[in-house]
Amino acid sequence: MKGERKLLRALMSFLLLCILPFALSAQTSPEDFLGFKVGADRKLADYNQIKTYFEKLDQESEKIKVLTIGQSTLNKPMIMAVITSEQNMAKLDTYREIVKSLRDSRTLSPEEAKKLAKEGKVILLITCNIHATEIASSQMAMELAYKLATGDTPFKADKVLDEVITLLVPTTNPDGETMVTEWYRKYVGTKYEGGRMPWLYHHYAGHDNNRDWFMFNLPESRAVTKVLYHDWLPQIHIDEHQMGSTGARLFIPPFMNPPLPNVQALLWRSISLCGVNMAYDLEKQGYKGVVHDRSFTGWWIGACDDTSWLHNVVGLLSEMASVNVATPINIESTEIPQSYYEKRMQFPNPWPGGWWRLRDLVDYELVLSLSLIKTAYLHKEDFLFNFYQMSKNSIENREKGDPFAFVIPSKQDDYPTTLRMLDILMFGGVEIHQAEEDFLADGKAYPVGSFVVKASQPYKPYAVALLEKQKYPDIRQYEGGPPIPPYDNAGWTLPLQMGVKCDQIEHPFEARLEKLEKVPYPTPSPSPATSDYILLDSRINGSYAAVFSLLKDKAEIYRAKEKIEGKEFKAKTGSFIIKNTPQVQKALPALIEKWHIPIYELENITEIPKAPLKNKTIGLYQSWRSNMDEGWTRYVFDDLGVSYTTLHNKDFKGTKKNKVDLKAKYDVIVFADEDPEIIKQGKPSPTSRWARYFTPLPPEYEGGIGKEGVETLKTFVEKGGILVTLNNSCQLIFKEFKVPARNAIERVERSKFFCPTSILKIKVDNKTPIGYGMPKEAAAMFSRSLALDTWIPSGEWDRKVVASFPEENLLLSGWLLGEKVIARKAAVVDAKYSKGHIILIGIRCQHRAQSHGTYKFLLNALLYPEID
Ligand SMILES: [Zn+2]
């Protein structure tokens, strides 16, 4: 017996020795690949390493396939791993077809849907690291993939992988991941270790890359949106983030109040189911400090996971407490806020304080990600069937207050921008029809060619949320007390932001409609204009883009000082008159094709009052404090082909002997929305609540333009320069110049006036150069914005109010308390000083490259006509 057992044991050992190398070394662990454990103190894998590791897993495992889903802004390939069983891997197309069928209930009976839910596989998307400094999830992703491939999971991986197709994007921001890793490695071991970078961690957007998920300005948002609503159609989606360091260790849903009214109740319940399971799994394994129902609301559309809700996708968010990138921190228990120190129902196990390291974040994230995969498995059929059911609810149910449709009339001030809006809507999955005849809706006549968005469609919550006017609920800390601010925007209505007319229709109507497969951009006329001059309509943003391009080619261009009527057109004041030279004729076709702009022929212009335009040199200030609004301004400039030079603090400073003459180099200087203290000193005032977040930077990035820079700017304006200040940078002018204007709401308490990012009505004087091309009444984005008092000037000053808030009914979308405080105040002022101008734009005229409807205030400033 003994001998036999010995022999058996020897045989077993031999067999194990033969199998083990295959079983264990078939997949390289992240630790073996990187040479350090994922999440080790002060160690980071950069994007190149992450990508190479995933490609290695792809080669080593039949359960992992790595795909390229797009290119980042700085042209890095964006990767996504598909993780599922070998059997599923062979049938991915079949499973994608199944979810495609389930998405649209119009082509499927409930019985058929039940059958497909049984047959299909639930698709779960995990996106990581969109905010590049929130780096733990990009590191965790490697270990998660490895654990799933090798079966090192708290569940039977084979069973789970056979029912769940996990899509894992290790970083939605590969450019940022690379920047953050390089910066961190450069300063590790110095006093700047773990500190902030002086520039944005996304080329244009920085943190706002997670505010772009209905506008799709960024290639990264487009790549993931294609996965979400075009190519893979997941039923569940989680976006993994990090938050501040001293509160809860982890936030996971349920979200806190208020909910977006358009999101289906079944979806909120599904989110809670997943969130509660995560919290349970974490608790079971002894993880402390997990909170839900705090900080993160159910009211927002611009973030990656939130747009999911509106597409019937169970969208979740996780937010880990941060360390200093990869540097551990020690938190004193006294530094933990009371609300995270005491037990609460939504926070039953507080974390006591102590050391907190990157590996802790990786551990929590592994548990919550695996928990979500398990929940997807446990409720697979439900998730798939609910995907169908929510589409059915969207199409068939009309709840109280639901509109019947939205009509976008074909007659618009800026038709090309209208088409651009339709393009954006369609990319987000909105179905749009076009009328083949004139029709009546809610008693109003609409011409043939108008666009109709019916509320009854699979992604109804999304379509309605983008087109309707938001009414943010009046939520206070206590009855009659101060308002509780929303997480981000209170209102975002896309047609208002883009200056597009759109009517909400309450009652059903009949019309002959054709469903659009693509946006009907007009075919440009094949015969070029032969007249001496051509005219471009100033109401169209694309006309400005064409003008910027033609000015670079030294074209002769004027702005009409009055309206012009021709045989085929009626052009508003400020329209562009362009001498039709052979060079212009050569350049025009490409511009017309790109911008879809109409051109009109003009013969004699001698009678038209006009002012010449010059190709102005433009400088755009960039502080070393990673200002998102500066990034978006650059985005708008690049989008419209505006040439500019980025100016840094040093460009405003000279030596005693060698003074800087900005006017010799620039005609226009633009300051994006920024705290004036940061512009001047490089940091907010020490009493500001933001001061603690401004950690020191290496000396070359410290400071601002200084006193000297302010003096240089004064001289710049005196010599005839155009200085443009957007939103809060206007405060620099109030503080440093004797401009006859001030911010009327600088010290107004929140209980008297409150307007969290919302859309307000403004009145515009469109006969004055900065208002050219604007309608008389427009919608402006108000976000920590200004309301200006002006007064009768003296000396070398003058002022012209270009736009102002009306007397009443200011709110168009969002939330506004105390409108009287800003009623009749100015929003945009053209202040003349000596030979130059200071253009004070107190609203967000290019907010996140979304508010196309007010771009013209900025564009007009860049094109300020010369005095003739
Ligand atoms: Zn984040």
Side-chain angles (χ1 to χ4, degrees), residues 131 134 207 241-242 319:
H131 293 146
E134 301 166 15
H207 201 76
H241 287 250
Q242 288 170 222
E319 296 270 356

Side-chain angles (χ1 to χ4, degrees), residues 73 203-204 420 545 552 594-595 620 630-644 646:
T73 301
H203 181 66
Y204 289 118
R420 189 166 176 170
K552 276 181 229 165
K594 180 165 184 200
W595 296 103
L620 173 63
E630 179 275 330
W632 286 120
T633 312
R634 252 187 299 120
Y635 182 94
V636 172
F637 285 1
D638 288 348
D639 184 31
L640 297 174
V642 175
S643 300
Y644 60 94
T646 293

Side-chain angles (χ1 to χ4, degrees), residues 34-99:
L34 297 168
F36 59 86
K37 193 170 164 65
V38 166
D41 289 353
R42 299 181 175 81
K43 293 281 186 193
L44 288 174
D46 59 40
Y47 183 60
N48 204 20
Q49 289 172 303
I50 295 171
K51 186 170 154 285
T52 314
Y53 178 69
F54 270 93
E55 284 160 355
K56 199 169 175 55
L57 275 188
D58 176 321
Q59 283 171 6
E60 292 175 349
S61 171
E62 298 298 320
K63 294 173 189 149
I64 296 191
K65 192 171 168 172
V66 176
L67 309 172
T68 302
I69 55 167
Q71 297 284 318
S72 69
T73 301
L74 301 179
N75 283 321
K76 284 198 171 22
M78 292 177 67
I79 59 156
M80 176 177 88
V82 182
I83 308 172
T84 193
S85 67
E86 282 175 59
Q87 301 90 287
N88 289 352
M89 207 57 105
K91 288 174 69 184
L92 286 178
D93 287 343
T94 311
Y95 297 124
R96 282 161 68 173
E97 279 311 310
I98 290 177
V99 289

Side-chain angles (χ1 to χ4, degrees), residues 129-134 201 207 209-211 239-243 296 317-319 487:
N129 184 233
I130 182 169
H131 293 146
T133 47
E134 301 166 15
Y201 57 57
H207 201 76
N209 59 355
N210 204 27
R211 307 288 181 263
D239 198 32
E240 304 203 4
H241 287 250
Q242 288 170 222
M243 55 184 179
F296 301 93
L317 169 76
S318 68
E319 296 270 356
Y487 177 71

Side-chain angles (χ1 to χ4, degrees), residues 29-45 136 139-140 142-143 146-147 152 326 357-360 362-363 366:
S29 73
E31 189 169 349
D32 284 345
F33 176 79
L34 297 168
F36 59 86
K37 193 170 164 65
V38 166
D41 289 353
R42 299 181 175 81
K43 293 281 186 193
L44 288 174
Q139 314 289 301
M140 178 280 297
M142 293 183 283
E143 211 166 291
Y146 175 73
K147 279 178 180 293
D152 178 17
R357 340 185 84 90
L358 185 62
R359 182 65 214 186
D360 293 322
V362 170
D363 285 338
L366 279 170

Side-chain angles (χ1 to χ4, degrees), residues 15 44 88 122 125 179 234 332 359 364 396 420 440 478 500 508 513 544 548 602 625 691 739 784 820 823 832 858:
L15 276 173
L44 288 174
N88 289 352
V122 63
L125 172 66
M179 289 183 215
E332 298 285 353
R359 182 65 214 186
Y364 276 71
E396 293 172 9
R420 189 166 176 170
L440 276 175
Y478 49 88
V500 173
L513 303 175
Y544 286 76
F548 285 116
L602 259 185
R625 288 299 182 174
V739 59
R784 289 195 280 269
K820 279 273 165 273
K832 189 172 181 316
L858 175 59

